[in-house]
Structures are given as structure tokens and as C-alpha cells.
Amino acid sequence: MGRRLDDAARTIEAHGIGGAKDLPISPELAIAGAVAALTISFTVLALAWRTPRYASSARGPRGGHPLPDGLQRVVDSAAWRGGLRVVGLLFFGWAALAAVAGQDLLTNPFFGMFYVWWWVGLVPASLLLGPVWKAVSPVRTFHLLLAKVSGSQPGSGVLVYPARLGYWPAALGLFAFVWLELVYPYSTELGPVRLWASVYVAVMLLGGALFGDTWFERADPFEVYSSLVAKLSVWGKAGGRVVVRSPLANLATTEARPGLVAVVAVLFGSTGFDSFRESPTWVRFLLGTDAIASRDWAATLADNIALVVFCGGVGLLFALGTMLTGVGHGQRRLLLPGQFAHTMIPIIVGYIAAHYLSYWLEVGQDTLIKASDPLSTGADYLGTGDWSVNYWLSYHPTLLANLKVLGVVLGHVVAVVAAHDRAIALLPKRHQLTGQLPLLLLMVFFTAGGLFLLFAA
């Protein structure tokens, strides 16, 4: 049991966040305000938003404003694309140096680069810059170099990627990552994390050789993750050009492929589980049940079951909420979850921002400091070794609490807008409002549950 508690403490130190101490406001008031915001938003939309503005089964999403020709040429240039690939390779090389030659200590910057910069950092980077992982992905660069050496085309493999697979491989990859981070008891030991990263690179390169670039677009968990979050950025594509447009219009371009619901369920469910596993209720359950407290494997099994329940539960509830509506002639009810799955993306981004805000800012700074000494020898290669972490945000807990609650509420309000626009584009007229009620109730439940877990952590 002692080793179990030690591992838990190390895990929280590595990638946990502060819980209730970060939120010195009334949870009841926050939840009530969030529910009121969703209800008012839906009422206003029902009265004022009668025709689809972003999603239309006939015309598709609006195009947006194209970049000036000069800037477009820069973005399309080989030098620009090559520069981004170099950035990805430099990140990969520095992380690999720390992973392979560094010491198995929590001061090794590889943990922060893996759990903080790569996983959490993809969200703000994709919101600001678009699908950034697609541009800098080192596995894509390795695939391109291998294709050039072998004389093959990187865009096509020896096989055609099966359409029925959709995003399912990415969903499995995302689940494998959150399992490593949140459930595996040795997630802060260098060997297992290094092995996970090695398997990821190997699987991506093998898949790229078999299926070409389509494999990365559909199966790379981090590219799919980044590209979905980027749907909330102002950067899009139309007619082969980069365009600037409303994030809601960009969000409406999300393609409903098999496995999309599983992807959003894993992203949202795992973040909820991360809060739940730090709640007093779950901790008391693990420590207070003799059959669990006396055995490390029993606690790990309980965490595994809880993670599956959270991810699977989110997916099942979302599917149920979208299918409990009337459909028109020729419409298939089973397709509705995929057609509405993009509405979960703002919720995911809002909850990740709320859950990981202080963690990303503070542990991210600490990682930059440690990155200057990848081998833990006392070196200062990047000149950041004598920097100190700025805890300004944590020293203003009321502001931090308000930002976290605002993130959750804003994410759900944007989701309500996106769901309303899609509903009036897809559903028969008589079901356009009443058909949204099950999904609205589900979003109210997600909002209240998300805030409750955020306060309970």
C-alpha cells in the first residue's frame, strides 16, 4: 500500500493540478449560473436563429476571407513547410535526447515535454495556429524522408485506407495515452513512457507506409486531436487556400467519419475522470475498501474500470441525446451522433482549459527550465536553467476560479449554438426545436457534472 501511495503522489506531482484550493467560489453558484447561461442561450437561439448559418446540407459551410496572395504564397512555399518540419524535428530530437540519455528522475524534462507541452500544449497551439501537429509532426517528416529514399509517393501507400475505420485507430491511440497518464501506476518512470513513445512512432511509420498520408489524418491520435481543436480557430481551408472565418463556421466543416464520437468521448471522458480520481469520494473508496487498499492491482483495476466507464458513458449518453429526436424521410437515426459530434469539441476545449490551466502555465514553465539540462548533469544549454516559475495566477485564486468556470460555461454555450445550427439544417421542421431538448438536457448534465468534478478534485 505504501508503494501505491508513493506512486500516486509522484503522479500528482508530475501531471496533477490543484483542486478545490484553486476554486474559492461557491460551486452551487457556479453550477446555477452555468445552467442559466445554457437555458438562456437556447431560448434566444430558438427565437432569433431560424435558418442555418454555418451548416447546410446543400451548400456547406461559408468560405471565409482568403489570405492576401503574397501571404498565401509564403504559406504554400517549400521553405515555410520545411521550417515547420524542422521545428518538429528539433522538439523530437531534444525530447529523445532526454528520454534515451537522461536519468530516470522527475527532474528529467522528458516528462514535462510529453505530458505538458505535447498533450496539453496542443490545445492552445491548435486554437491559435490551426492544425499545428499536422505541420510539425516528426513522424510525418520521417515518413516523407523514407518515401524519398525509397522512391515512393508519401501521399499513397501500398493499400487504400478503409473508410470504415475512420477515426477508430486515433480513438484507440488517445485512450492508450490517457490510460498511461491517468491509470498506469508507473506513468512517471522513464522506461514505460519511453516505450510508449517508441511504439507510437513505430506504429505511425508502419501505418504511413501501408496507407500513406491518409493514415496520419485519420489514425494519428495527436494529429486528429490537434485538427479537431483547430476547428475552433479562425484558420480554415477553402478551394485550396487558407481562409480566415468564424470558428463556428470552421467547426461546421468537421467531417462525420466512423469513430469520431469515440474520439470526443475519450477526450472528454478522460478529462472528467482525471478530476474524479482526485476527488475525496474516489480516494476514500480506494483507501476505505479493504480488498482494494491492501492490493495495488485492485486499485489499478478500479481505476481502469472507472476510466472505461467515464469514456464509454460519455459516448453512450451523447449518442442517446442526439438520437432521441424525430427524423425525416430517408434519414438514419444512427448517423445523428456522428453528424452532431463536432458540437462536443467546444465542451472538450473548455473543460481542458479549466482543468489544466494552472498546470499548463506553471508546469510548462518548469519544463522549460528543466529542458536546459536534458541529461540532469547541471548543464544550462538553453540558458533557462536559472529561471524561476511565475506563480502569479495561482496567487490570484479568485481570478483563476472565474477563468476555469468561464471556460466550462463558454465551451457549453458555443456547443449549444453549434448544435442548434446543425439541428435546423438536418432535422425536419417540426422537430428542429423539440428535437434539441434531449441534447440540451445532456449538455446541462455535462456542465453541472464537469463543474462538480472540477470543484471536487
Side-chain angles (χ1 to χ4, degrees), residues 157-449:
V158 296
L159 301 172
V160 176
Y161 186 83
R164 65 181 180 277
L165 282 183
Y167 294 121
W168 280 108
L172 292 175
L174 289 168
F175 186 84
F177 180 91
V178 298
W179 174 84
L180 172 73
E181 181 193 17
L182 304 177
V183 173
Y184 184 64
Y186 307 107
S187 61
T188 54
E189 292 188 4
L190 188 58
V193 181
R194 181 171 54 198
L195 176 62
W196 194 101
S198 300
V199 172
Y200 161 76
V201 172
V203 171
M204 288 302 106
L205 291 179
L206 178 60
L210 292 175
F211 301 111
D213 287 344
T214 305
W215 171 260
F216 300 107
E217 295 171 1
R218 315 272 177 83
D220 185 341
F222 299 98
E223 182 165 325
V224 171
Y225 177 34
S226 171
S227 297
L228 288 179
V229 173
K231 293 296 183 180
L232 283 175
S233 73
V234 298
W235 307 107
K237 275 290 190 74
R241 292 180 63 99
V242 177
V243 297
V244 178
R245 60 187 171 203
S246 162
L248 280 167
N250 223 11
L251 185 63
T253 65
T254 307
E255 296 186 56
R257 300 185 185 279
L260 179 59
V261 174
V263 167
V264 297
V266 169
L267 289 173
F268 184 49
S270 63
T271 308
F273 170 73
D274 197 7
S275 289
F276 174 73
R277 73 191 181 95
E278 296 173 2
S279 67
T281 301
W282 188 243
V283 172
R284 283 196 298 268
F285 171 74
L286 293 181
L287 298 181
T289 305
D290 292 339
I292 295 178
S294 61
R295 295 175 176 84
D296 290 348
W297 66 265
T300 301
L301 178 61
D303 282 340
N304 273 278
I305 294 173
L307 177 61
V308 172
V309 168
F310 265 79
C311 295
V314 167
L316 290 174
L317 287 175
F318 179 76
L320 185 63
T322 53
M323 290 192 295
L324 285 178
T325 181
V327 294
H329 179 71
Q331 281 187 307
R332 294 181 59 191
R333 197 182 299 271
L334 289 176
L335 297 180
L336 289 178
Q339 293 168 331
F340 280 90
H342 68 291
T343 64
M344 288 287 289
I345 298 173
I347 298 175
I348 292 167
V349 171
Y351 195 59
I352 286 178
H355 187 68
Y356 293 113
L357 178 60
S358 54
Y359 167 63
W360 177 64
L361 289 174
E362 294 168 2
V363 183
Q365 294 177 65
D366 184 61
T367 300
L368 179 59
I369 295 170
K370 293 174 179 175
S372 198
D373 183 19
L375 307 182
S376 301
T377 59
D380 189 10
Y381 297 122
L382 304 180
T384 61
D386 59 348
W387 291 9
S388 59
V389 177
N390 186 333
Y391 293 101
W392 182 88
L393 192 59
S394 288
Y395 292 152
H396 295 78
T398 301
L399 173 62
L400 178 59
N402 289 330
L403 289 175
K404 290 185 174 188
V405 173
L406 180 63
V408 173
V409 175
L410 184 59
H412 281 81
V413 169
V414 173
V416 168
V417 175
H420 177 78
D421 190 72
R422 181 56 57 91
I424 58 179
L426 284 179
L427 300 181
K429 195 170 186 63
R430 64 184 183 277
H431 296 300
Q432 287 177 355
L433 292 180
T434 57
Q436 294 182 60
L437 293 179
L439 187 56
L440 175 65
L441 292 175
L442 178 65
M443 289 185 178
V444 169
F445 172 75
F446 282 162
T447 304

Side-chain angles (χ1 to χ4, degrees), residues 2-277:
R3 180 171 183 178
R4 169 76 185 177
L5 293 175
D6 290 340
D7 288 337
R10 294 176 66 204
T11 300
I12 291 173
E13 180 182 355
H15 58 275
I17 65 168
K21 65 180 181 295
D22 290 334
L23 301 169
I25 60 177
S26 166
E28 294 82 5
L29 180 62
I31 293 173
V35 172
L38 290 185
T39 305
I40 293 171
S41 299
F42 177 76
T43 304
V44 172
L45 290 170
L47 295 174
W49 198 312
R50 302 294 184 88
T51 58
R53 302 184 185 184
Y54 303 116
S56 170
S57 57
R59 292 178 286 106
R62 294 180 176 180
H65 304 284
L67 292 182
D69 291 340
L71 190 54
Q72 182 68 47
R73 284 194 293 270
V74 172
V75 173
D76 289 338
S77 67
W80 175 262
R81 294 196 299 270
L84 292 175
R85 292 184 185 279
V86 168
V87 170
L89 288 177
L90 289 175
F91 173 82
F92 177 85
W94 204 253
L97 175 64
V100 174
Q103 300 182 41
D104 191 2
L105 302 170
L106 285 178
T107 55
N108 189 321
F110 177 65
F111 294 111
M113 298 175 78
F114 185 78
Y115 289 122
V116 186
W117 285 4
W118 193 18
W119 178 244
V120 183
L122 271 182
V123 174
S126 301
L127 286 174
L128 292 175
L129 305 174
V132 65
W133 188 248
K134 182 176 182 178
V136 305
S137 170
V139 290
R140 269 188 176 264
T141 302
F142 294 146
H143 171 67
L144 176 63
L145 294 175
L146 290 172
K148 287 184 176 298
V149 170
S150 63
S152 60
Q153 293 296 323
S156 59
V158 296
L159 301 172
V160 176
Y161 186 83
R164 65 181 180 277
L165 282 183
Y167 294 121
W168 280 108
L172 292 175
L174 289 168
F175 186 84
F177 180 91
V178 298
W179 174 84
L180 172 73
E181 181 193 17
L182 304 177
V183 173
Y184 184 64
Y186 307 107
S187 61
T188 54
E189 292 188 4
L190 188 58
V193 181
R194 181 171 54 198
L195 176 62
W196 194 101
S198 300
V199 172
Y200 161 76
V201 172
V203 171
M204 288 302 106
L205 291 179
L206 178 60
L210 292 175
F211 301 111
D213 287 344
T214 305
W215 171 260
F216 300 107
E217 295 171 1
R218 315 272 177 83
D220 185 341
F222 299 98
E223 182 165 325
V224 171
Y225 177 34
S226 171
S227 297
L228 288 179
V229 173
K231 293 296 183 180
L232 283 175
S233 73
V234 298
W235 307 107
K237 275 290 190 74
R241 292 180 63 99
V242 177
V243 297
V244 178
R245 60 187 171 203
S246 162
L248 280 167
N250 223 11
L251 185 63
T253 65
T254 307
E255 296 186 56
R257 300 185 185 279
L260 179 59
V261 174
V263 167
V264 297
V266 169
L267 289 173
F268 184 49
S270 63
T271 308
F273 170 73
D274 197 7
S275 289
F276 174 73
R277 73 191 181 95

